[in-house]
Amino acid sequence: MARNLPISRTRNIGIMAHIDAGKTTLTERILYYTGKTHKLGEVHEGTAEMDWMVQEKERGITITAAATTCSWKNCNINIIDTPGHVDFTMEVERSLRVLDSAIAVFDGVAGVEPQSETVWRQADKYHVPRICFVNKMDRIGADYYRCIDMIREKLNADPLPMHMPIGIESDFSGVVDLVEMKSLIWDDPTGKNIEVRDIDSSLLEKASKMHEELVEKVSEFDDELMHKFIEGEEYSVEELKSAIRNATVKSNLFPVFCGTALKNKGVQTVLDAVVDYLASPKDIPAVEGHDINDETVMVKREADDKEPFCGLIFKIMTDSHVGKLCFMRVYSGMMKSGEQVLNVSLGKKERINRFLRMHANHREDVTDIYTGDIIALVGLKNVRTGDTITSLDSPLLLERMDFPEPVISIAIELKSKADQDKLNNALQRLEEEDPTFKKEVNPDTGQLIISGMGELHLDIIVDRLLREFNIPANIGKPQVTYKETVTATAQAEHLYDKPIAGKESFGHVKIAVFPGVSGSGLVVENEIKTFLPEQILKEIIAGLNDSMQGGVIAGYKMDDIKVAVLGADYDETKSVDTAYRIASNHALKEAARIASPTLMEPVMKLEVVLPDEYTGDIINDLNSRRGKIENIDIRNELKVIDALIPLSETFGYATSVRSMSQGRASHTLIFSHYEQVPETVMSRILGRFSGLI
């Protein structure tokens, strides 16, 4: 079957925002207006199409990124609705990795919230062009212009107001389109009928001023428009739109629209903006990958059906009807179902049985796929998130995705040993679906420990084990995942001179360790002046990495350590690669023991929004939890407290903050960084947690 529309008429977009800004509601409206659904789904009623998991319906939040496809004005739009909760931020990360553009949704009252900043930085990381939608304009306290200022100040972005709201709060009825210079009024409750009017005389002066500012800003990125603007010459709407599109695709400007998705106002203008201003696969730079024979050589693949096939697996999920589903972004080429492909990351050939176009958890079979498609594959057995899939004769390796280490753990214990195999299979499936979920058996206690990105993350995992996989188990209390580091400089050496598999083996390594920069991980510098084979040096570094997996205080992973390799004796007759790996492993352990080792704990960025009368109680409570107040601001007559607080002190915080404020305060927690634990706290931590993780 031939491609139904050219690549330039494809849009791959994500919808991203802070929790409860209205992402899923916006997606539901998009599906309704594009004819994909015939009934408006509501998040608060548990009827949203995109929130299909039981846990999502019960909690009214998005947990897993859901994909769907729709059409608008002769354009295919692939949409991924991403979670807003910080515990599931990697769902956003891996979605943005394969998307060409995004819609950033902001709460018209709250503006830029903590998770808004996180997802914006993630989009910056992958150079994803964005448009902005200021939602909930009908709510008390909504302020479109303040949201624009916050985008500029908090996100260091250059917003381009495309709308001027007509009416505020409950009187919000429509917008002035600042490009077309027309009023758009939604007086139909379903939002399907838009009345286009001339701009009311009372709004004309302000609208004309905003239009002039818009043209002036856009002309900074378009020489032809700049010339016409300065000379006072006429320019067409099409010329202005083309200039806005070019500036948006290059992420020079971020067009801002407004509306209220729940009240069905402003959604069609966002859809028009997706078509008019966001990037197609043709507009983004060609994807680059490593030559499999020489990783220093980069190979490009243009977004073209005639190029060799290349795709990236960005998500794996288990479907009760078809088994393992692998979501893939096609970067180049085309393919028919039943063909063989190469998993370049694993070096294995596999056959794809079926292609499925997904609509949340509903499926539609397709026989062939093309450049720009986001599709689900059935039939791949050996595959992981981040694997590159190519045609057999033209392999290249795309850059893999990095996933953060879990920060919180709990112990899980089966009520019956008969369920052990069932549990192992369930945990394996969950690990395949979610790279931020880890499991391990504690060698000291024999306990099974599962780890994740936060309390809610683990709560969802446990809920799925108990209900979806029907595994009865006892669950322990959450425990923080600490790390170890050094605070002083030390030297150590280790000689390994023992037989390995009956053969003489020799390896000698001398190193120095130093405290590293926060977030740097392991940094290795080679200061060996004498000859040493490259393979031996690789084994020394591998041994150092092995040693970092378990520290010297309580067995937690080590981090933020700089190692200088000072020397390594080499004996042509006895030196063995493995011996150097063992020697460097022991040398780092020995050096760490005498370099004043200490624990590091995860620290969270906390925002509390509350009425002024509860400020004192909240601050006193934060101080008692080792919190550090960074800023206190005012937002719509509410106080906003920004603070840093150790993760270990946040357990039960939701209940506590509700109690102190009589349910009137809200808070957000986002992982910030790891920080050294105070000496007074470390002994308590070691006495309580040692041996559990």
Side-chain angles (χ1 to χ4, degrees):
M1 187 178 79
R3 173 190 281 279
N4 62 343
L5 286 171
I7 300 174
S8 61
R9 303 302 295 173
T10 294
R11 302 288 182 271
N12 292 317
I13 65 169
I15 300 184
M16 61 185 207
H18 186 90
I19 191 169
D20 209 28
K23 297 177 304 302
T24 302
T25 302
L26 176 62
T27 310
E28 294 295 320
R29 297 318 188 255
I30 287 173
L31 296 178
Y32 177 68
Y33 295 129
T34 57
K36 197 73 184 181
T37 58
H38 303 290
K39 182 185 173 200
L40 288 169
E42 303 293 359
V43 174
H44 57 275
E45 293 175 2
T47 58
E49 286 277 328
M50 302 303 282
D51 286 348
W52 57 271
M53 290 175 64
V54 175
Q55 291 81 4
E56 291 177 316
K57 291 181 183 297
E58 288 179 349
R59 290 167 172 81
I61 61 169
T62 302
I63 293 168
T64 182
T68 190
T69 303
C70 59
S71 297
W72 184 256
K73 294 192 174 176
N74 204 34
C75 196
N76 284 335
I77 304 174
N78 297 314
I79 302 172
I80 296 182
D81 176 29
T82 64
H85 196 282
V86 60
D87 286 13
F88 309 105
T89 191
M90 281 315 298
E91 285 284 316
V92 185
E93 177 105 4
R94 59 178 172 180
S95 299
L96 288 172
R97 169 74 167 80
V98 299
L99 292 169
D100 303 326
S101 310
I103 303 172
V105 182
F106 299 95
D107 184 317
V109 179
V112 176
E113 298 173 271
Q115 188 66 0
S116 312
E117 296 181 56
T118 302
V119 297
W120 193 271
R121 286 196 302 271
Q122 288 172 314
D124 283 341
K125 176 181 174 181
Y126 293 114
H127 310 291
V128 176
R130 279 144 278 172
I131 60 174
C132 306
F133 179 62
V134 178
N135 193 23
K136 304 187 179 183
M137 287 298 297
D138 59 315
R139 286 183 58 203
I140 295 172
D143 190 332
Y144 175 66
Y145 302 105
R146 187 174 59 83
C147 287
I148 290 171
D149 290 339
M150 291 178 78
I151 291 169
R152 184 181 297 108
E153 293 160 11
K154 287 199 168 189
L155 304 178
N156 293 318
D158 201 350
L160 182 70
M162 304 286 282
H163 282 170
M164 186 181 95
I166 299 174
I168 59 171
E169 300 176 351
S170 59
D171 294 328
F172 175 75
S173 59
V175 299
V176 173
D177 182 332
L178 296 173
V179 174
E180 303 268 5
M181 287 303 283
K182 291 286 184 183
S183 288
L184 308 177
I185 306 296
W186 285 268
D187 52 9
D188 168 15
T190 67
K192 279 200 166 184
N193 300 318
I194 308 172
E195 189 179 337
V196 181
R197 303 179 188 167
D198 290 331
I199 301 171
D200 190 272
S201 57
S202 63
L203 303 172
L204 190 57
E205 184 181 346
K206 184 174 183 179
S208 299
K209 185 173 182 293
M210 290 184 71
H211 172 79
E212 190 172 317
E213 290 171 352
L214 179 149
V215 178
E216 184 178 1
K217 183 173 278 193
V218 174
S219 66
E220 292 174 19
F221 305 97
D222 189 289
D223 292 341
E224 194 173 328
L225 186 64
M226 171 72 82
H227 174 76
K228 290 188 175 183
F229 179 71
I230 292 173
E231 298 297 325
E233 296 178 17
E234 289 291 320
Y235 50 84
S236 67
V237 169
E238 286 67 32
E239 286 177 303
L240 181 54
K241 283 187 174 182
S242 176
I244 294 171
R245 176 180 170 77
N246 289 334
T248 304
V249 168
K250 292 174 183 174
S251 293
N252 293 322
L253 295 173
F254 301 93
V256 185
F257 303 84
C258 67
T260 167
L262 187 64
K263 298 294 176 63
N264 311 316
K265 296 174 182 176
V267 178
Q268 296 97 323
T269 58
V270 172
L271 277 166
D272 289 343
V274 168
V275 174
D276 291 340
Y277 305 124
L278 289 183
S280 77
K282 282 284 191 186
D283 296 316
I284 61 171
V287 69
E288 283 192 330
H290 297 279
D291 186 301
I292 63 167
N293 298 314
D294 184 351
E295 62 180 28
T296 62
V297 175
M298 300 302 289
V299 181
K300 286 188 176 182
R301 287 277 194 274
E302 299 291 339
D304 196 312
D305 293 339
K306 294 177 182 176
E307 286 269 301
F309 183 83
C310 174
L312 182 77
I313 302 294
F314 68 94
K315 179 180 173 67
I316 295 171
M317 64 177 261
T318 304
D319 186 284
S320 56
H321 299 284
V322 297
K324 186 188 291 186
L325 283 178
C326 304
F327 286 81
M328 179 173 70
R329 161 67 192 265
V330 182
Y331 283 106
S332 65
M334 61 163 291
M335 180 167 289
K336 295 184 179 297
S337 58
E339 289 186 23
Q340 263 200 331
V341 294
L342 176 65
N343 183 331
V344 183
S345 307
L346 299 176
K348 294 185 177 181
K349 296 178 184 178
E350 294 214 48
R351 190 175 300 280
I352 301 174
N353 298 334
R354 295 166 67 190
F355 297 132
L356 298 176
R357 202 175 297 284
M358 300 299 291
H359 173 50
N361 65 332
H362 305 301
R363 300 160 297 278
E364 173 195 344
D365 274 282
V366 292
T367 56
D368 34 24
I369 55 176
Y370 298 90
T371 301
D373 281 348
I374 290 178
I375 209 80
L377 314 179
V378 179
L380 294 182
K381 295 180 178 64
N382 302 300
V383 66
R384 305 161 305 179
T385 299
D387 282 357
T388 304
I389 305 296
T390 70
S391 52
L392 298 178
D393 54 353
S394 298
L396 82 161
L397 184 62
L398 300 177
E399 187 179 345
R400 281 191 64 83
M401 293 184 236
D402 294 322
F403 297 103
E405 290 293 319
V407 296
I408 186 170
S409 304
I410 56 173
I412 183 167
E413 190 177 89
L414 286 171
K415 291 182 178 177
S416 167
K417 290 200 172 179
D419 292 320
Q420 188 64 53
D421 288 342
K422 200 170 162 186
L423 175 64
N424 291 340
N425 290 333
L427 292 174
Q428 184 181 343
R429 278 172 58 180
L430 290 170
E431 272 192 307
E432 284 180 349
E433 291 182 20
D434 184 356
T436 60
F437 167 69
K438 304 288 182 190
K439 71 176 192 304
E440 63 179 350
V441 176
N442 183 280
D444 298 321
T445 64
Q447 281 182 305
L448 174 64
I449 305 295
I450 60 174
S451 308
M453 301 307 295
E455 282 189 275
L456 180 61
H457 187 198
L458 288 183
D459 185 37
I460 299 295
I461 293 288
V462 168
D463 193 50
R464 290 187 65 189
L465 285 173
L466 297 178
R467 292 204 288 180
E468 184 179 325
F469 297 100
N470 195 27
I471 298 170
N474 296 316
I475 309 299
K477 289 184 178 180
Q479 308 285 359
V480 174
T481 301
Y482 294 93
K483 290 185 179 180
E484 298 184 22
T485 193
V486 297
T487 59
T489 301
Q491 289 189 13
E493 58 185 309
H494 191 87
L495 170 67
Y496 188 89
D497 192 3
K498 298 176 183 176
I500 296 178
K503 295 175 69 175
E504 268 194 297
S505 301
F506 172 86
H508 174 256
V509 177
K510 183 178 181 181
I511 64 167
V513 301
F514 309 86
V517 177
S518 178
S520 62
L522 171 66
V523 177
V524 181
E525 293 182 353
N526 178 16
E527 296 185 7
I528 300 174
K529 306 299 182 189
T530 55
F531 168 74
L532 190 71
E534 189 177 331
Q535 183 57 37
I536 297 284
L537 182 61
K538 284 184 178 178
E539 289 298 319
I540 290 173
I541 294 172
L544 294 173
N545 276 301
D546 292 344
S547 191
M548 293 287 286
Q549 301 309 305
V552 296
I553 301 175
Y556 299 114
K557 287 184 178 180
M558 293 194 286
D559 203 357
D560 298 344
I561 294 178
K562 179 181 170 184
V563 177
V565 184
L566 304 176
D569 292 339
Y570 181 66
D571 185 323
E572 286 190 8
T573 58
K574 295 200 301 180
S575 287
V576 174
D577 296 355
T578 308
Y580 286 90
R581 184 167 186 159
I582 297 169
S584 64
N585 187 330
H586 284 289
L588 179 51
K589 286 280 196 296
E590 291 164 21
R593 285 190 186 95
I594 54 178
S596 302
T598 189
L599 287 182
M600 295 195 299
E601 62 183 345
V603 175
M604 310 299 284
K605 184 178 177 183
L606 170 68
E607 181 188 85
V608 188
V609 181
L610 69 157
D612 186 37
E613 60 261 39
Y614 304 110
T615 305
D617 290 343
I618 295 289
I619 289 176
N620 289 337
D621 181 67
L622 284 174
N623 289 334
S624 73
R625 294 172 182 265
R626 297 193 285 131
K628 297 175 188 172
I629 309 294
E630 291 201 307
N631 187 44
I632 299 178
D633 207 347
I634 296 174
R635 183 191 298 165
N636 283 348
E637 301 177 359
L638 293 172
K639 280 282 179 70
V640 181
I641 299 173
D642 293 313
L644 293 173
I645 182 171
L647 175 62
S648 60
E649 303 286 351
T650 65
F651 298 143
Y653 186 69
T655 304
S656 179
V657 80
R658 274 198 302 269
S659 173
M660 285 184 290
S661 66
Q662 298 178 15
R664 295 173 65 193
S666 63
H667 77 287
T668 305
L669 281 165
I670 295 176
F671 172 73
S672 175
H673 62 281
Y674 269 84
E675 193 174 274
Q676 289 181 23
V677 174
E679 196 69 39
T680 53
V681 180
M682 192 163 81
S683 56
R684 174 170 59 84
I685 292 172
L686 292 176
R688 186 176 172 191
F689 296 134
S690 180
L692 282 180
I693 300 177

